[in-house]
Amino acid sequence: MSANHNPAGQRRPKGPVHVGCASGFWGDSQIAIPQLLTAEKLDYIVFDYLAETTMSLLQRARMRSPELGYATDFVSVLRPHLKTLLERGVRLVSNAGGLNPEACRDAILAYAREQGLAPRIAVVTGDDVTALQAEFTDAQGRHLPDLDGFGPLLSANAYLGAYPIVQALALDADIVITGRAVDSACALAVAIHEFDWTASDYDKLAQASLAGHLIECGPQATGGLFTDWETVPDWANIGYPIVVLDRDGGFDLTKPPATGGLVSRATVAEQLLYEIGDPSAYELPDVICDLRQVCIRETGPDRVRVEGARGRAPSTRYKITATGHAGYQIGIMMAIRGQRARAKALRTADELLRRTRRLLAANGMPDYISTVVELLGAEAMYGGNARENDSREVILRIAASHAERRGLEFLQKESASAGTSMGPGTRSHFGGRADIQAIIKTGSFYIAKQCVPIWLDCGDVHAEVAVPDNGEDRPVAAPGTQPAAAPAPAGANSVRVPLARLAYARSGDKGDDSNIGVIARREAYWPVLLRELTAERVREYFSHLVQGEVSRFELPGTGAVNFVLRRALGGGGSSSLRSDPLGKSYAQMLLDLEIPCPGEILQ
């Protein structure tokens, strides 16, 4: 233990607890920690690294080197600031452990020893449930011992909750490292530890979980990805979020002084809807949250107050993210310029795929599993909603998957020949041949909490963690529906306007599903969204991308609707061949949809 280490009883904050977030994903900026350290008050910093796609990337890394499998960014961004953080008593909580939490801890300790420091680090393990495959179930609770054709497992990790972290903080850890845990658990654990909440303080748990959800993606809550991006100043120094948690569960959201970005009702509301499903049943391991009546109020420059989340008992199960090998993929890009570039690019793709299919057959190999051709710059993702565009410059992207690596080597090599044997104005590659990569697909399953032992290592403590036994099993929530009584018709004086004039929007992903949250810009526009922006209309607009159903859910407290688009991402994550496998552009696409609006409320 370092000489400047203070006992927990002497450093527990008095009153509100200030929690900053320094990472929203593996690969986030290195500017966050120095920013947060300029805040007048800062008690904790949380770091989120583990998106579903990240688990696939970590699995690839571990396949190459068994000592990897954790978010190496956490170690590198921490190194220059570790001494300052320890001196100030700022405690760190992170899920950077990924598939190898112990290796992450050891890497930090190695750097700490170089600086003469000895931080107390706690490691939470037990989320690896690969060996418990026979206990997996689907969303309806049916056992899937063969994973319903998912294939051999590479990894399977349960989304753990806050209580293992709570116990680590009670052991006076300076740094807590977990494997797979829900993104919001880091902030929730801080609140439970600091305020001594019980496992049945559901409304408080829901509020702190919402705080964690809002900051888990870093500056996405402070102006990043905001619909009205022109109004957000200084992206170069965008401020990372800080939540000020109160004992009663309410909280403020703000950012460090003299930083860029924007904290407003709209920026925070967009992040509220990011990657949620049914807002009445946002399921977490420690609480099920009802976000329908959440209220966001601006209380000062770059500061909002968030209240109104409600909670109820969690389920008796953990969600699992599993990864498996599903063949190989390649993505090739080339520039096509000149007259009729769009048509020329499409023909180039067709001819290359025809040529390589002949080569596959000649070598006794099967056809591609799937292929995708996209013209970047010609609105390829928009399908039938694309505007007429005969650009003189496009980027042709050809993506393909095959059961064998060798099956993609023909396309990898032959694509270069387009520069001499196909259309004029073709640059046939960018920076050399494209890489062939293993497809690590992800799947979601469930497992009973009682089947998953969780372990905590901190100093000389190695103990199994007791998780509250307060779960309740409820029927799976029904899909969202339209209002029972539709609002009044638009009227004869209606004007067709782009949705962007009436609303903000943000989209994200969960596996192969996408969600699009739409928030009314003004209270008067809310009835228009309810009337015109139906699930059927959104399904039709995205019919070229969505293979499943579309459901709509309402959030009256925020004046918002949330759409869940099933089977909308071509497999999603690292297994999709699309240029947008995470649905990040879907909200932007929907904002161009024109809907009728009463002319008088537009004045």
Side-chain angles (χ1 to χ4, degrees):
M1 188 177 299
S2 58
N4 52 25
H5 186 93
N6 296 315
Q10 295 180 21
R11 67 178 178 183
R12 288 173 65 92
K14 304 298 182 183
V17 179
H18 295 69
V19 183
C21 178
S23 175
F25 66 101
W26 188 20
D28 206 345
S29 174
Q30 59 187 318
I31 69 173
I33 294 179
Q35 272 189 4
L36 293 170
L37 286 172
T38 67
E40 181 181 356
K41 295 180 180 180
L42 186 67
D43 304 307
Y44 292 83
I45 300 179
V46 298
F47 304 74
D48 177 38
Y49 289 100
L50 299 185
E52 290 177 339
T53 302
T54 307
M55 298 299 286
S56 298
L57 298 175
L58 292 174
Q59 180 58 37
R60 284 178 180 166
R62 191 169 68 168
M63 289 169 66
R64 294 192 301 268
S65 301
E67 70 275 10
L68 295 178
Y70 63 91
T72 53
D73 278 10
F74 182 52
V75 181
S76 59
V77 301
L78 200 57
R79 184 180 185 183
H81 307 291
L82 185 57
K83 185 174 186 293
T84 302
L85 291 164
L86 290 172
E87 289 175 345
R88 288 188 51 176
V90 178
R91 306 173 76 178
L92 313 178
V93 183
S94 175
N95 59 11
L99 301 174
N100 199 348
E102 295 94 340
C104 184
R105 173 200 59 201
D106 294 345
I108 293 173
L109 286 174
Y111 283 138
R113 283 192 292 269
E114 292 176 2
Q115 303 177 52
L117 303 171
R120 185 171 173 83
I121 302 179
V123 171
V124 175
T125 56
D127 59 293
D128 185 348
V129 293
T130 310
L132 301 176
Q133 178 177 335
E135 302 296 332
F136 293 3
T137 69
D138 62 13
Q140 285 72 41
R142 298 172 296 199
H143 277 275
L144 298 169
D146 61 354
L147 298 194
D148 197 22
F150 184 79
L153 283 179
L154 293 175
S155 67
N157 296 80
Y159 287 68
L160 302 184
Y163 283 94
I165 304 172
V166 174
Q167 296 193 34
L169 294 173
L171 291 174
D172 200 24
D174 297 300
I175 303 171
V176 183
I177 301 171
T178 77
R180 196 59 177 109
V182 291
D183 304 336
S184 56
C186 295
L188 174 58
V190 168
I192 295 172
H193 170 69
E194 292 294 341
F195 302 134
D196 297 318
W197 290 343
T198 71
S200 60
D201 285 329
Y202 296 127
D203 288 348
K204 295 177 181 178
L205 299 181
Q207 273 287 127
S209 295
L210 175 56
H213 169 70
L214 289 175
I215 66 173
E216 71 192 39
C217 291
Q220 282 189 198
T222 56
L225 307 190
F226 184 42
T227 299
D228 293 352
W229 54 268
E230 302 97 329
T231 66
V232 180
D234 196 7
W235 284 350
N237 190 38
I238 191 167
Y240 277 66
I242 297 173
V243 287
V244 184
L245 301 167
D246 294 339
R247 186 172 295 275
D248 65 0
F251 63 90
D252 289 0
L253 192 151
T254 185
K255 63 185 183 69
T259 57
L262 175 66
V263 177
S264 69
R265 175 188 174 276
T267 61
V268 175
E270 281 195 14
Q271 185 60 20
L272 166 65
L273 274 76
Y274 182 65
E275 295 184 345
I276 66 169
D278 181 352
S280 72
Y282 185 52
E283 186 172 345
L284 299 169
D286 305 303
V287 63
I288 294 179
C289 305
D290 185 342
L291 307 176
R292 290 174 295 178
Q293 298 299 332
V294 169
C295 174
I296 303 169
R297 296 182 290 109
E298 295 181 8
T299 56
D302 287 317
R303 193 177 188 96
V304 299
R305 181 72 175 173
V306 183
E307 298 170 311
R310 297 291 179 264
R312 63 177 187 269
S315 76
T316 61
R317 62 186 187 175
Y318 290 122
K319 181 182 176 182
I320 298 167
T321 292
T323 64
H325 185 250
Y328 298 87
Q329 64 183 1
I330 191 171
I332 293 166
M333 293 198 296
M334 57 184 72
I336 310 289
R337 297 182 175 90
Q339 297 177 354
R340 300 179 300 285
R342 184 177 183 278
K344 188 165 42 177
L346 288 172
R347 182 176 176 187
T348 300
D350 179 65
E351 299 285 357
L352 281 171
L353 290 172
R354 279 204 306 133
R355 179 186 293 180
T356 53
R357 282 190 165 109
R358 287 176 181 172
L359 291 168
L360 285 169
N363 285 271
M365 302 186 71
D367 194 7
Y368 298 113
I369 297 173
S370 60
T371 62
V372 168
V373 174
E374 296 176 313
L375 304 187
L376 308 182
E379 302 192 4
M381 283 285 291
Y382 284 78
N385 305 311
R387 295 166 179 160
E388 289 296 324
N389 180 8
D390 192 12
S391 175
R392 292 176 295 176
E393 180 179 73
V394 298
I395 301 297
L396 168 62
R397 181 176 180 273
I398 307 171
S401 60
H402 198 277
E404 302 177 43
R405 177 182 290 273
R406 180 168 167 256
L408 297 175
E409 291 177 352
F410 300 107
L411 182 58
Q412 183 187 46
K413 182 178 186 300
E414 292 296 325
S415 61
S417 71
T420 56
S421 65
M422 297 187 181
T426 297
R427 181 181 179 183
S428 57
H429 60 79
F430 289 98
R433 290 185 181 181
D435 292 333
I436 298 172
Q437 296 184 334
I439 298 175
I440 308 297
K441 67 177 180 179
T442 62
S444 293
F445 307 99
Y446 297 86
I447 191 169
K449 290 178 180 176
Q450 63 187 17
C451 296
V452 184
I454 305 170
W455 293 90
L456 175 63
D457 285 277
C458 185
D460 58 357
V461 175
H462 176 73
E464 186 171 356
V465 176
V467 175
D469 183 18
N470 61 337
E472 296 179 7
D473 288 320
R474 297 168 180 254
V476 176
T481 57
Q482 307 305 322
N493 66 335
S494 65
V495 179
R496 295 187 67 83
V497 297
L499 178 61
R501 186 167 176 183
L502 307 178
Y504 311 98
R506 181 169 299 178
S507 52
D509 71 299
K510 286 293 182 186
D512 195 21
D513 299 338
S514 181
N515 94 290
I516 307 175
V518 182
I519 307 106
R521 291 179 179 270
R522 294 173 48 201
E523 186 177 350
Y525 298 160
W526 166 241
V528 179
L529 298 184
L530 293 182
R531 179 179 62 242
E532 302 295 343
L533 204 59
T534 63
E536 290 77 14
R537 194 162 198 169
V538 172
R539 176 67 176 80
E540 179 183 6
Y541 189 77
F542 287 102
S543 59
H544 61 294
L545 297 173
V546 176
Q547 295 180 301
E549 297 301 315
V550 173
S551 302
R552 189 182 83 176
F553 303 93
E554 300 170 15
L555 294 87
T558 318
V561 287
N562 187 48
F563 294 93
V564 177
L565 291 64
R566 305 290 184 190
R567 293 165 50 219
L569 299 172
S574 61
S575 62
S576 174
L577 298 183
R578 295 181 187 172
S579 58
D580 182 8
L582 306 178
K584 301 297 187 184
S585 64
Y586 283 24
Q588 290 293 297
M589 295 164 69
L590 185 61
L591 287 169
D592 281 328
L593 174 68
E594 291 191 349
I595 60 176
C597 178
E600 59 270 17
I601 70 171
L602 292 173
Q603 301 304 317

